[in-house]
Amino acid sequence: MKELDGILPPGSYIVTVTSIDENGVVQYEITTYAESSAEANAAASSVSTALSQASTLTSITEFVFEASQASSDSSIQSAITSSTSIVSHTSGGTTESTTTKVTSTGQLSVVGFDPSVLTPAEKEEAKHFFESAITQELVSQGLLQEGSSVVVVTDISSDGSSVQYDIIFYGLTSTEASSAITDVQTSLSNTSTLASISSIVQEESSTSSSSAAAVSSSLSTMSITENTQLGTTGLTLSPAEEEIAKIYFEEAITTSLGSILPPGSTVTVTSVKDGVVSYEITMTVSSSEVAESTVTAIESSLAEQSTLEDITSSVETASSSISVTTSSDLSVLNLNQEVQVVGVTATGSFATTNLDVSSFTEEQISEIMGYFEDAIAQEVDLPVGSIVNVTSIDENGVVQYEITTYAESSAEANAAASSVSTALSQASTLTSITESVLEASQVSSDSSIQSAITSSTSIVSHTAGGTTESTTSKVTSTGQLSVSGFDPSVLTSAEIEEAKHYFESAITQELVLQGVLQEDSSVVVVTDISSDGSSVQYDIIFYGLTSTEASSAITDVQTSLSNTSTLASISSIVQEESSSSSSSSAAVSSSLSTVSITENTQLGTTGLTLSPEEEEVAKSYFEEAIATSLGSILPPGSTVAVASIKDGVVSYEITMTVSSSEVAEATVTAIESSLADQTTLQAIETNVVASATESSKPSLMNAMSEVTVVSNTLVSTTSEIPLVNNALSGVTVLSNTAGISTITEPTVSKVTFDQLTMEIISINGTSVTHDLLNQGKGQQSFETILDSTGMIVALTINDPISSFSPLDEGELANTIEICSIMPLVPSQLTRPVVEESSTSSVTESEILRPDAGRSRLLTSPQEPQSDESYPDSTQQRDDESQHEAADDALLDSHDSFSKRPQYSTLRGLQQQQEAADFCLLLSPGGADLSSAGQPTE
């Protein structure tokens, strides 16, 4: 309500008219918002007081009248006239509640608006027009609820190039508010939304009677060109969003500190709460001095405003990312695209004279049936791909046949079958078939067949049978024969067709003979002979097979045709048939007399479908091909995922993360443009075919050998703005507060035995590493074991001492001492097995530690000394019960310890009191422990 703007801060109230009854009584609710109960109630009281004033009621009446007259509904214009007025105001009750407030701040980029000519009051009026226009447009799109949200224009720049606004959401959860902000910002990134808001501003400022002329004039050519989200306040992070925010800050802090952090340092954000990001930096340095200087450098850097700004900028960049997914379809011919055809099978019979096969064997009859099949196919103009099958010849010389014609539709297939039946009923056709059969029989190697079919043999009549129709699969394998010694340039078109027939017949005969082609369900068609005769292109069509069966048949055929003996046989058949046929023209016989087929090349396959397993492999080929072809157009980390390959369509998605909606739009445009380029599609096709060719799966090679990428169609583009982006939008890093720096130095115990060095490193009492180096002879093997308390360390030697040269060479002592600042429990050790020595001795060793000088061998167990006796008692040895436990463990497991020679030697060395350690003695007699002992002279 414009009349309250002078009373309440903008955005601090929402007005909702709940009803207007038949008596013209207007019921309303006005909710005022403030930080405290007192402030909110004071504001509500001010509103009630203002609405009780006659001047306010008059202003409201005038505003309503003006708005009604601009309505497109004439009934509303008539209902509210100059005589309409508000005569009184009655205050109702008040209710109070605590609610959430989330504010999204944005900025509109504007052209064609000059506010410099406006007074402050006129500028406020211009703000109102922008508020009203933004509200109307977003409410009309269903993105803003007027009862719980409000738009407030907070600033108009002096040159009119930008309008800053707040959209305030009351009463929503953080997730609901974040989702609403995302929807609003997505809408405001749309040019049509901005154009609509611009139009509303222009229209309302020009039609309002209360609008100052200067305001109307300045807004008349105004246009909003862009929206920018500046920030959000009042949102909290969900646990999942907080984890993402932690990563953003960890990366930002690490990057901003750069080379100050030692290699291998880690930044870990432990919490993001109430405007405080708590984090830890863990690093390993060479000394406490370096640690202190590094910590100082970190604190100094994080005290610099430029570093904090870098962190802010890094987090803003990370949290402005948008996930974009484009869904597209590649049109790919001959890929997972089943070909279905309609087959019409027409049956019939020929009545013959002077054809007696009653005494013939099955093989002889089969040969004669083949002559009839070839004759029908040659003499009748059959549709390409038709199959002729002579089913029987009886003792009366009646020839039964089936001719199946195929077409894409039932009508076409039946029409073709009808044409064949008509042709076979003509006497000239029957004569031609008879002559062709006679000619073929006379070149048979079987003299009985030559005698059975003579010049007096003839087809006297044709009887058409019925037809049956079925839908079946059609798979076509295309190949090319490389040919030499053949010059078709001297042949006429008819003679070239005759030459094609000889190649078809020869390929069919050879493949049928090898059992890789079934004549009743497949046919060979030579489709082209090159002008120079160097190549013969053919199709082998398979009907009625499953995709797996057809693919297997194609593999068998192509394997056979890659064999030189097969090609030589086909060449011989072509030469023989063309030279022996009386119907063959002299030119054809001559041109084919020296023909030789040297090679076969598989060109492609159509009609095969992919098995589920093959489809998954094919998907990976396309994913890789698309990603490779788009190259640098795709932002780093983008993924291409093929969802399906079906009926010649490859459906896929590209998912990418970009920094803004503008970058998203530009990237999608670039992808579309590239995939509209034929060179890109060709590159995808080449890569896919190459991958399939290199595959070890013949069926996959067959199914993808002739794919052709025709076009790409963008189906949809979706953008997803992570909700965490809203919560981090507009974050500003203000300061850094240094916490506690903890410097932990490892303690090192080193035992040197001539060339043998053992090093035990303990950091914070939680881990121990060690090296046992036999210089010049390689590294020995040790293991580290922590007990259940994490305090007691045991070292296991994996090999007996005798295997550690030079310990077994007799020139060094047989006892090795291993010392640690933590107790070593003998029962946890694997004891070395070596020969018992007649004598034992203890060799002095150096124990080098940062906090102790040279020490002697340590003594056997005794009662722990007071803290004053232990310079490092605060580091592992200040717990008396721990020492007692170690003592008990030692005494329980080593009853005979005092009887050993080296024990008495050690007992006599208890003199000097220095830092205590726990030492393990490894000797031929076993392993013993000195607990809480004292270094001695």
Side-chain angles (χ1 to χ4, degrees):
M1 184 181 290
K2 187 179 179 182
E3 306 307 324
L4 297 180
D5 284 349
I7 302 171
L8 301 176
S12 66
Y13 65 91
I14 292 178
V15 178
T16 305
V17 172
T18 56
S19 68
I20 301 176
D21 66 16
E22 66 276 8
N23 298 316
V25 176
V26 179
Q27 300 284 344
Y28 70 85
E29 291 178 353
I30 300 177
T31 304
T32 57
Y33 299 94
E35 293 185 1
S36 68
S37 172
E39 291 173 318
N41 278 285
S45 178
S46 298
V47 169
S48 182
T49 300
L51 291 175
S52 299
Q53 295 174 359
S55 59
T56 303
L57 301 182
T58 300
S59 296
I60 294 172
T61 300
E62 292 173 350
F63 185 89
V64 171
F65 173 66
E66 180 185 336
S68 69
Q69 300 311 298
S71 171
S72 58
D73 190 329
S74 57
S75 299
I76 293 177
Q77 293 179 4
S78 303
I80 302 176
T81 65
S82 56
S83 62
T84 302
S85 65
I86 301 174
V87 293
S88 66
H89 168 259
T90 302
S91 294
T94 61
T95 58
E96 181 179 322
S97 64
T98 300
T99 191
T100 59
K101 175 184 178 182
V102 176
T103 304
S104 175
T105 301
Q107 181 174 283
L108 300 174
S109 297
V110 181
V111 295
F113 173 39
D114 181 14
S116 64
V117 298
L118 304 181
T119 65
E122 290 170 338
K123 200 169 182 179
E124 290 302 314
E125 186 179 344
K127 286 182 180 180
H128 169 73
F129 288 126
F130 278 103
E131 290 171 351
S132 176
I134 296 170
T135 301
Q136 287 183 54
E137 180 61 25
L138 295 179
V139 167
S140 70
Q141 293 184 22
L143 304 177
L144 210 63
Q145 302 299 317
E146 286 189 283
S148 60
S149 53
V150 61
V151 177
V152 180
V153 171
T154 57
D155 185 55
I156 295 176
S157 63
S158 58
D159 60 359
S161 63
S162 65
V163 173
Q164 192 163 312
Y165 64 86
D166 288 342
I167 300 179
I168 305 171
F169 301 87
Y170 291 107
L172 300 183
T173 65
S174 191
T175 301
E176 291 170 341
S178 187
S179 179
I181 291 169
T182 297
D183 292 341
V184 166
Q185 293 300 323
T186 300
S187 174
L188 291 173
S189 66
N190 194 316
T191 53
S192 62
T193 299
L194 301 181
S196 180
I197 293 172
S198 302
S199 179
I200 295 171
V201 170
Q202 292 175 14
E203 182 181 352
E204 290 197 347
S205 63
S206 64
T207 58
S208 174
S209 60
S210 64
S211 177
V215 175
S216 301
S217 175
S218 65
L219 292 174
S220 61
T221 58
M222 183 278 308
S223 177
I224 303 170
T225 59
E226 188 180 10
N227 174 71
T228 304
Q229 184 178 8
L230 298 181
T232 304
T233 61
L235 286 178
T236 58
L237 297 169
S238 69
E241 291 168 351
E242 184 179 355
E243 291 306 310
I244 297 173
K246 285 179 180 180
I247 294 172
Y248 291 166
F249 276 100
E250 286 169 354
E251 292 175 349
I253 295 169
T254 301
T255 302
S256 66
L257 291 176
S259 60
I260 295 175
L261 292 179
S265 301
T266 59
V267 177
T268 305
V269 173
T270 55
S271 70
V272 180
K273 188 176 181 182
D274 296 333
V276 176
V277 176
S278 300
Y279 65 92
E280 295 177 349
I281 299 177
T282 304
M283 52 194 168
T284 301
V285 292
S286 58
S287 66
S288 58
E289 292 76 15
V290 174
E292 290 175 4
S293 63
T294 304
V295 170
T296 300
I298 291 172
E299 290 182 15
S300 176
S301 177
L302 291 172
E304 293 285 340
Q305 193 60 36
S306 58
T307 304
L308 302 180
E309 289 173 358
D310 288 343
I311 295 173
T312 299
S313 177
S314 179
V315 172
E316 284 181 344
T317 300
S319 62
S320 65
S321 62
I322 297 174
S323 177
V324 180
T325 300
T326 64
S327 298
S328 303
D329 288 340
L330 275 179
S331 177
V332 185
L333 295 181
N334 306 320
L335 178 62
N336 209 20
Q337 196 167 12
E338 184 178 23
V339 176
Q340 292 281 332
V341 292
V342 177
V344 174
T345 300
T347 61
S349 63
F350 299 117
T352 65
T353 60
N354 299 318
L355 177 61
D356 182 7
V357 297
S358 58
S359 63
F360 282 5
T361 65
E362 186 176 335
E363 288 77 12
Q364 290 173 318
I365 294 174
S366 179
E367 183 177 337
I368 296 172
M369 288 165 59
Y371 295 154
F372 274 96
E373 288 172 350
D374 290 343
I376 295 169
Q378 186 174 347
E379 302 303 330
V380 179
D381 187 18
L382 297 174
V384 174
S386 298
I387 292 179
V388 179
N389 184 25
V390 172
T391 57
S392 69
I393 302 175
D394 65 17
E395 65 275 8
N396 298 315
V398 176
V399 179
Q400 300 283 346
Y401 71 84
E402 292 177 350
I403 299 176
T404 305
T405 55
Y406 297 94
E408 292 184 1
S409 69
S410 172
E412 291 173 318
N414 277 285
S418 178
S419 298
V420 170
S421 182
T422 300
L424 290 173
S425 298
Q426 296 174 358
S428 59
T429 304
L430 300 183
T431 299
S432 297
I433 292 173
T434 300
E435 292 173 351
S436 181
V437 170
L438 173 62
E439 179 184 340
S441 68
Q442 297 313 298
V443 296
S444 172
S445 59
D446 189 330
S447 59
S448 298
I449 292 176
Q450 292 180 6
S451 302
I453 302 175
T454 66
S455 57
S456 62
T457 302
S458 66
I459 300 174
V460 293
S461 66
H462 168 258
T463 303
T467 59
T468 57
E469 179 181 320
S470 63
T471 299
T472 190
S473 62
K474 176 185 177 183
V475 175
T476 304
S477 175
T478 301
Q480 181 174 283
L481 300 174
S482 297
V483 180
S484 63
F486 173 40
D487 180 13
S489 63
V490 297
L491 303 180
T492 64
S493 298
E495 289 170 336
I496 288 177
E497 290 303 313
E498 184 182 342
K500 286 182 180 179
H501 167 72
Y502 290 125
F503 279 103
E504 290 172 351
S505 177
I507 295 170
T508 301
Q509 287 183 54
E510 181 62 25
L511 295 179
V512 168
L513 180 65
Q514 293 185 20
V516 295
L517 202 66
Q518 301 300 317
E519 284 189 281
D520 59 347
S521 62
S522 54
V523 61
V524 177
V525 179
V526 171
T527 56
D528 185 57
I529 294 176
S530 64
S531 58
D532 61 357
S534 63
S535 65
V536 174
Q537 192 163 313
Y538 63 86
D539 287 342
I540 300 180
I541 305 172
F542 301 86
Y543 293 108
L545 301 183
T546 66
S547 191
T548 301
E549 292 169 340
S551 185
S552 178
I554 290 169
T555 299
D556 292 342
V557 165
Q558 292 301 322
T559 300
S560 175
L561 291 173
S562 66
N563 194 313
T564 54
S565 62
T566 300
L567 301 181
S569 181
I570 293 172
S571 301
S572 294
I573 296 172
V574 169
Q575 293 176 17
E576 182 181 348
E577 289 197 348
S578 63
S579 63
S580 61
S581 173
S582 59
S583 64
S584 177
S585 66
V588 174
S589 299
S590 175
S591 64
L592 292 175
S593 62
T594 58
V595 68
S596 176
I597 302 170
T598 58
E599 189 180 9
N600 174 72
T601 304
Q602 183 178 8
L603 299 181
T605 305
T606 62
L608 286 178
T609 57
L610 299 169
S611 68
E613 295 78 11
E614 291 168 346
E615 184 179 353
E616 290 305 311
V617 177
K619 285 179 180 179
S620 68
Y621 292 162
F622 275 97
E623 288 167 353
E624 184 177 346
I626 294 169
T628 301
S629 66
L630 291 175
S632 60
I633 295 175
L634 294 179
S638 300
T639 58
V640 178
V642 173
S644 68
I645 300 176
K646 189 175 182 182
D647 296 332
V649 176
V650 178
S651 299
Y652 67 95
E653 291 181 346
I654 299 176
T655 302
M656 51 196 166
T657 300
V658 293
S659 58
S660 66
S661 56
E662 291 76 22
V663 174
E665 188 174 341
T667 305
V668 171
T669 301
I671 290 172
E672 279 189 85
S673 177
S674 178
L675 289 171
D677 193 327
Q678 197 59 39
T679 56
T680 304
L681 300 180
Q682 182 61 50
I684 294 173
E685 178 183 315
T686 301
N687 286 337
V688 168
V689 172
S691 296
T693 303
E694 294 168 3
S695 167
S696 59
K697 297 178 178 293
S699 59
L700 193 61
M701 292 172 58
N702 293 330
M704 301 185 69
S705 60
E706 202 172 345
V707 298
T708 303
V709 181
V710 179
S711 63
N712 182 75
T713 304
L714 179 66
V715 177
S716 64
T717 301
T718 57
S719 298
E720 181 182 350
I721 302 174
L723 295 183
V724 68
N725 290 8
N726 293 323
L728 294 175
S729 176
V731 296
T732 302
V733 181
L734 301 176
S735 63
N736 179 72
T737 303
I740 299 173
S741 296
T742 303
I743 301 175
T744 303
E745 295 185 75
T747 60
V748 180
S749 297
K750 180 179 290 186
V751 180
T752 302
F753 243 106
D754 190 25
Q755 293 180 322
L756 186 65
T757 300
M758 170 77 181
E759 185 172 79
I760 304 174
I761 304 173
S762 174
I763 303 177
N764 251 6
T766 59
S767 65
V768 171
T769 59
H770 49 271
D771 295 295
L772 185 58
L773 299 176
N774 188 358
Q775 297 176 15
K777 299 190 179 183
Q779 182 169 340
Q780 306 302 326
S781 176
F782 275 69
E783 291 181 359
T784 300
I785 303 172
L786 295 180
D787 74 356
S788 60
T789 68
M791 294 300 294
I792 298 177
V793 178
L795 301 168
T796 300
I797 298 179
N798 295 326
D799 298 290
I801 288 180
S802 60
S803 67
F804 291 148
S805 178
L807 289 181
D808 59 347
E809 294 179 359
E811 54 195 68
L812 295 177
N814 288 322
T815 301
I816 179 170
E817 180 186 54
I818 300 175
C819 297
S820 172
I821 61 171
M822 291 184 288
L824 299 170
V825 178
S827 62
Q828 292 180 314
L829 296 173
T830 299
R831 305 185 182 198
V833 179
V834 294
E835 285 187 9
E836 188 75 37
S837 176
S838 59
T839 60
S840 298
S841 63
V842 178
T843 303
E844 181 179 312
S845 301
E846 287 189 358
I847 302 174
L848 305 178
R849 301 181 306 159
D851 58 348
R854 178 185 174 105
S855 299
R856 300 291 184 180
L857 291 177
L858 303 186
T859 64
S860 58
Q862 61 179 9
E863 289 297 318
Q865 305 299 310
S866 63
D867 287 349
E868 289 78 6
S869 301
Y870 299 89
D872 57 351
S873 60
T874 58
Q875 303 181 24
Q876 312 287 337
R877 290 189 297 268
D878 55 357
D879 189 343
E880 292 185 357
S881 63
Q882 191 177 38
H883 297 297
E884 292 170 358
D887 291 348
D888 293 340
L890 172 71
L891 295 173
D892 290 343
S893 59
H894 293 277
D895 296 341
S896 61
F897 184 54
S898 61
K899 300 176 182 178
R900 295 179 182 168
Q902 65 265 38
Y903 178 80
S904 57
T905 304
L906 291 172
R907 291 283 294 176
L909 296 176
Q910 300 178 32
Q911 301 297 329
Q912 183 178 349
Q913 292 189 355
E914 292 183 11
D917 283 279
F918 299 92
C919 289
L920 174 68
L921 298 179
L922 296 179
S923 69
D928 298 308
L929 181 69
S930 173
S931 174
Q934 306 170 15
T936 61
E937 293 293 342

